[in-house]
Amino acid sequence: GESVGLHLPTLSVQEGDNSIINCAYSNSASDYFIWYKQESGKGPQFIIDIRSNMDKRQGQRVTVLLNKTVKHLSLQIAATQPGDSAVYFCAEGGLESSYKLIFGSGTRLLVRP
Amino acid sequence: GAGVSQSPSNKVTEKGKDVELRCDPISGHTALYWYRQSLGQGLEFLIYFQGNSAPDKSGLPSDRFSAERTGGSVSTLTIQRTQQEDSAVYLCASSPDLNSGANVLTFGAGSRLTVL
């Protein structure tokens, strides 16, 4: 079946550095992508989303990049802070599946003080 | 309510027993999802409800799993004859409008199920 996967299961960065979390998706029909952050013991929280008619979208300290040619999604976090330590999930959806979101396996981000 | 509420937060049960997990979505949200998250893993889709449409049950792992959503609001996920492999965190999420093309789900904190 279609799936969403991540290149790196764990990413360790120095506080203040920028972080880049990558995600590959396999369903070329997906037209909506979203990133979630999950802290220990909590449910996932929305970070940022992007539609397939865009290749970049910025939020507060976060940027999502979408490359439809190679079916790749990334989340960039500027000036990473200890509070950014969490597991990050990408998810994809599309009109054909009524935007049911399919999640990847997640990347753990560790921020070193 | 202000967020998605799930109960119980923790449930320990014996193999073979039935369990019910409850989800109270955000008021007015038409779409409701159940996901399962095993330790250190991603979110596995189970089922979703959208308004009065027939639910998408394509993610339910076996016929021991079922879910209902009464009155378009509260949902109950039932697992019959629980097995050890059912141990996981069960997450509920809701969203305001599945057909808007922007499906931002709000998740609850989850119900952690441990089957002994």
PDB file of all heavy atoms in Angstrom, chain B residues 23-39:
ATOM      1  N   CYS B  23     -13.880   8.746  23.202  1.00  0.00           N
ATOM      2  CA  CYS B  23     -13.336   9.986  22.652  1.00  0.00           C
ATOM      3  C   CYS B  23     -14.431  11.041  22.567  1.00  0.00           C
ATOM      4  O   CYS B  23     -15.497  10.799  21.979  1.00  0.00           O
ATOM      5  CB  CYS B  23     -12.740   9.752  21.268  1.00  0.00           C
ATOM      6  SG  CYS B  23     -12.197  11.259  20.424  1.00  0.00           S
ATOM      7  N   ASP B  24     -14.160  12.206  23.165  1.00  0.00           N
ATOM      8  CA  ASP B  24     -15.041  13.355  23.039  1.00  0.00           C
ATOM      9  C   ASP B  24     -14.346  14.367  22.129  1.00  0.00           C
ATOM     10  O   ASP B  24     -13.370  14.995  22.544  1.00  0.00           O
ATOM     11  CB  ASP B  24     -15.312  13.996  24.399  1.00  0.00           C
ATOM     12  CG  ASP B  24     -16.286  13.217  25.229  1.00  0.00           C
ATOM     13  OD1 ASP B  24     -17.483  13.474  25.094  1.00  0.00           O
ATOM     14  OD2 ASP B  24     -15.832  12.353  25.999  1.00  0.00           O
ATOM     15  N   PRO B  25     -14.827  14.533  20.906  1.00  0.00           N
ATOM     16  CA  PRO B  25     -14.128  15.443  19.974  1.00  0.00           C
ATOM     17  C   PRO B  25     -14.455  16.897  20.301  1.00  0.00           C
ATOM     18  O   PRO B  25     -15.281  17.193  21.174  1.00  0.00           O
ATOM     19  CB  PRO B  25     -14.723  15.052  18.631  1.00  0.00           C
ATOM     20  CG  PRO B  25     -16.117  14.610  18.958  1.00  0.00           C
ATOM     21  CD  PRO B  25     -16.008  13.928  20.296  1.00  0.00           C
ATOM     22  N   ILE B  26     -13.808  17.787  19.596  1.00  0.00           N
ATOM     23  CA  ILE B  26     -14.106  19.210  19.733  1.00  0.00           C
ATOM     24  C   ILE B  26     -15.509  19.462  19.189  1.00  0.00           C
ATOM     25  O   ILE B  26     -15.866  18.959  18.112  1.00  0.00           O
ATOM     26  CB  ILE B  26     -13.062  20.051  18.986  1.00  0.00           C
ATOM     27  CG1 ILE B  26     -11.697  19.914  19.685  1.00  0.00           C
ATOM     28  CG2 ILE B  26     -13.477  21.510  18.893  1.00  0.00           C
ATOM     29  CD1 ILE B  26     -10.550  20.582  18.966  1.00  0.00           C
ATOM     30  N   SER B  27     -16.272  20.219  19.936  1.00  0.00           N
ATOM     31  CA  SER B  27     -17.647  20.492  19.558  1.00  0.00           C
ATOM     32  C   SER B  27     -17.711  21.120  18.164  1.00  0.00           C
ATOM     33  O   SER B  27     -16.980  22.071  17.861  1.00  0.00           O
ATOM     34  CB  SER B  27     -18.277  21.445  20.577  1.00  0.00           C
ATOM     35  OG  SER B  27     -19.613  21.742  20.208  1.00  0.00           O
ATOM     36  N   GLY B  28     -18.559  20.545  17.316  1.00  0.00           N
ATOM     37  CA  GLY B  28     -18.730  21.077  15.966  1.00  0.00           C
ATOM     38  C   GLY B  28     -17.849  20.437  14.925  1.00  0.00           C
ATOM     39  O   GLY B  28     -18.068  20.634  13.718  1.00  0.00           O
ATOM     40  N   HIS B  29     -16.857  19.687  15.351  1.00  0.00           N
ATOM     41  CA  HIS B  29     -16.004  18.996  14.378  1.00  0.00           C
ATOM     42  C   HIS B  29     -16.754  17.830  13.765  1.00  0.00           C
ATOM     43  O   HIS B  29     -17.309  16.990  14.464  1.00  0.00           O
ATOM     44  CB  HIS B  29     -14.723  18.497  15.051  1.00  0.00           C
ATOM     45  CG  HIS B  29     -13.681  19.553  15.188  1.00  0.00           C
ATOM     46  ND1 HIS B  29     -12.370  19.249  15.537  1.00  0.00           N
ATOM     47  CD2 HIS B  29     -13.726  20.886  15.023  1.00  0.00           C
ATOM     48  CE1 HIS B  29     -11.665  20.363  15.560  1.00  0.00           C
ATOM     49  NE2 HIS B  29     -12.470  21.375  15.267  1.00  0.00           N
ATOM     50  N   THR B  30     -16.749  17.792  12.432  1.00  0.00           N
ATOM     51  CA  THR B  30     -17.530  16.770  11.756  1.00  0.00           C
ATOM     52  C   THR B  30     -16.754  15.488  11.522  1.00  0.00           C
ATOM     53  O   THR B  30     -17.342  14.427  11.339  1.00  0.00           O
ATOM     54  CB  THR B  30     -18.039  17.292  10.401  1.00  0.00           C
ATOM     55  OG1 THR B  30     -16.902  17.636   9.583  1.00  0.00           O
ATOM     56  CG2 THR B  30     -18.915  18.518  10.586  1.00  0.00           C
ATOM     57  N   ALA B  31     -15.444  15.566  11.493  1.00  0.00           N
ATOM     58  CA  ALA B  31     -14.630  14.384  11.221  1.00  0.00           C
ATOM     59  C   ALA B  31     -13.953  13.901  12.494  1.00  0.00           C
ATOM     60  O   ALA B  31     -13.452  14.708  13.289  1.00  0.00           O
ATOM     61  CB  ALA B  31     -13.571  14.689  10.163  1.00  0.00           C
ATOM     62  N   LEU B  32     -13.926  12.584  12.687  1.00  0.00           N
ATOM     63  CA  LEU B  32     -13.296  11.987  13.854  1.00  0.00           C
ATOM     64  C   LEU B  32     -12.487  10.781  13.417  1.00  0.00           C
ATOM     65  O   LEU B  32     -12.973   9.951  12.645  1.00  0.00           O
ATOM     66  CB  LEU B  32     -14.359  11.582  14.887  1.00  0.00           C
ATOM     67  CG  LEU B  32     -13.863  11.046  16.231  1.00  0.00           C
ATOM     68  CD1 LEU B  32     -14.833  11.444  17.343  1.00  0.00           C
ATOM     69  CD2 LEU B  32     -13.653   9.548  16.214  1.00  0.00           C
ATOM     70  N   TYR B  33     -11.266  10.703  13.927  1.00  0.00           N
ATOM     71  CA  TYR B  33     -10.333   9.645  13.562  1.00  0.00           C
ATOM     72  C   TYR B  33      -9.920   8.846  14.794  1.00  0.00           C
ATOM     73  O   TYR B  33      -9.818   9.399  15.888  1.00  0.00           O
ATOM     74  CB  TYR B  33      -9.028  10.233  13.023  1.00  0.00           C
ATOM     75  CG  TYR B  33      -9.054  10.830  11.652  1.00  0.00           C
ATOM     76  CD1 TYR B  33      -9.720  12.018  11.389  1.00  0.00           C
ATOM     77  CD2 TYR B  33      -8.337  10.232  10.610  1.00  0.00           C
ATOM     78  CE1 TYR B  33      -9.695  12.572  10.130  1.00  0.00           C
ATOM     79  CE2 TYR B  33      -8.301  10.797   9.346  1.00  0.00           C
ATOM     80  CZ  TYR B  33      -8.987  11.958   9.114  1.00  0.00           C
ATOM     81  OH  TYR B  33      -8.954  12.518   7.865  1.00  0.00           O
ATOM     82  N   TRP B  34      -9.618   7.585  14.590  1.00  0.00           N
ATOM     83  CA  TRP B  34      -8.894   6.782  15.565  1.00  0.00           C
ATOM     84  C   TRP B  34      -7.602   6.293  14.920  1.00  0.00           C
ATOM     85  O   TRP B  34      -7.616   5.779  13.786  1.00  0.00           O
ATOM     86  CB  TRP B  34      -9.708   5.569  16.027  1.00  0.00           C
ATOM     87  CG  TRP B  34     -10.805   5.865  16.990  1.00  0.00           C
ATOM     88  CD1 TRP B  34     -12.124   6.035  16.729  1.00  0.00           C
ATOM     89  CD2 TRP B  34     -10.673   5.997  18.412  1.00  0.00           C
ATOM     90  NE1 TRP B  34     -12.825   6.269  17.883  1.00  0.00           N
ATOM     91  CE2 TRP B  34     -11.960   6.252  18.933  1.00  0.00           C
ATOM     92  CE3 TRP B  34      -9.601   5.919  19.304  1.00  0.00           C
ATOM     93  CZ2 TRP B  34     -12.208   6.428  20.292  1.00  0.00           C
ATOM     94  CZ3 TRP B  34      -9.840   6.107  20.649  1.00  0.00           C
ATOM     95  CH2 TRP B  34     -11.137   6.352  21.135  1.00  0.00           C
ATOM     96  N   TYR B  35      -6.509   6.462  15.662  1.00  0.00           N
ATOM     97  CA  TYR B  35      -5.211   5.947  15.260  1.00  0.00           C
ATOM     98  C   TYR B  35      -4.652   5.099  16.397  1.00  0.00           C
ATOM     99  O   TYR B  35      -5.018   5.273  17.562  1.00  0.00           O
ATOM    100  CB  TYR B  35      -4.209   7.075  14.971  1.00  0.00           C
ATOM    101  CG  TYR B  35      -4.442   7.834  13.686  1.00  0.00           C
ATOM    102  CD1 TYR B  35      -5.319   8.908  13.653  1.00  0.00           C
ATOM    103  CD2 TYR B  35      -3.769   7.483  12.520  1.00  0.00           C
ATOM    104  CE1 TYR B  35      -5.525   9.624  12.477  1.00  0.00           C
ATOM    105  CE2 TYR B  35      -3.972   8.192  11.341  1.00  0.00           C
ATOM    106  CZ  TYR B  35      -4.844   9.256  11.324  1.00  0.00           C
ATOM    107  OH  TYR B  35      -5.044   9.944  10.162  1.00  0.00           O
ATOM    108  N   ARG B  36      -3.743   4.212  16.048  1.00  0.00           N
ATOM    109  CA  ARG B  36      -3.050   3.416  17.057  1.00  0.00           C
ATOM    110  C   ARG B  36      -1.551   3.681  16.923  1.00  0.00           C
ATOM    111  O   ARG B  36      -1.015   3.733  15.803  1.00  0.00           O
ATOM    112  CB  ARG B  36      -3.351   1.924  16.843  1.00  0.00           C
ATOM    113  CG  ARG B  36      -2.632   1.002  17.802  1.00  0.00           C
ATOM    114  CD  ARG B  36      -3.166  -0.409  17.725  1.00  0.00           C
ATOM    115  NE  ARG B  36      -2.802  -1.098  16.485  1.00  0.00           N
ATOM    116  CZ  ARG B  36      -3.082  -2.388  16.266  1.00  0.00           C
ATOM    117  NH1 ARG B  36      -3.708  -3.081  17.198  1.00  0.00           N
ATOM    118  NH2 ARG B  36      -2.746  -2.943  15.131  1.00  0.00           N
ATOM    119  N   GLN B  37      -0.907   3.815  18.064  1.00  0.00           N
ATOM    120  CA  GLN B  37       0.531   4.082  18.071  1.00  0.00           C
ATOM    121  C   GLN B  37       1.219   3.089  18.999  1.00  0.00           C
ATOM    122  O   GLN B  37       1.071   3.164  20.218  1.00  0.00           O
ATOM    123  CB  GLN B  37       0.816   5.507  18.512  1.00  0.00           C
ATOM    124  CG  GLN B  37       2.284   5.898  18.399  1.00  0.00           C
ATOM    125  CD  GLN B  37       2.512   7.373  18.697  1.00  0.00           C
ATOM    126  OE1 GLN B  37       1.811   7.974  19.511  1.00  0.00           O
ATOM    127  NE2 GLN B  37       3.498   7.970  18.035  1.00  0.00           N
ATOM    128  N   SER B  38       1.965   2.176  18.416  1.00  0.00           N
ATOM    129  CA  SER B  38       2.756   1.253  19.220  1.00  0.00           C
ATOM    130  C   SER B  38       4.025   1.949  19.660  1.00  0.00           C
ATOM    131  O   SER B  38       4.442   2.950  19.066  1.00  0.00           O
ATOM    132  CB  SER B  38       3.075  -0.013  18.411  1.00  0.00           C
ATOM    133  OG  SER B  38       1.879  -0.655  18.023  1.00  0.00           O
ATOM    134  N   LEU B  39       4.692   1.403  20.670  1.00  0.00           N
ATOM    135  CA  LEU B  39       5.856   2.045  21.270  1.00  0.00           C
ATOM    136  C   LEU B  39       6.914   2.359  20.222  1.00  0.00           C
ATOM    137  O   LEU B  39       7.374   1.474  19.501  1.00  0.00           O
ATOM    138  CB  LEU B  39       6.440   1.134  22.358  1.00  0.00           C
ATOM    139  CG  LEU B  39       7.601   1.714  23.154  1.00  0.00           C
ATOM    140  CD1 LEU B  39       7.137   2.950  23.925  1.00  0.00           C
ATOM    141  CD2 LEU B  39       8.172   0.675  24.106  1.00  0.00           C
TER     142      LEU B  39
END
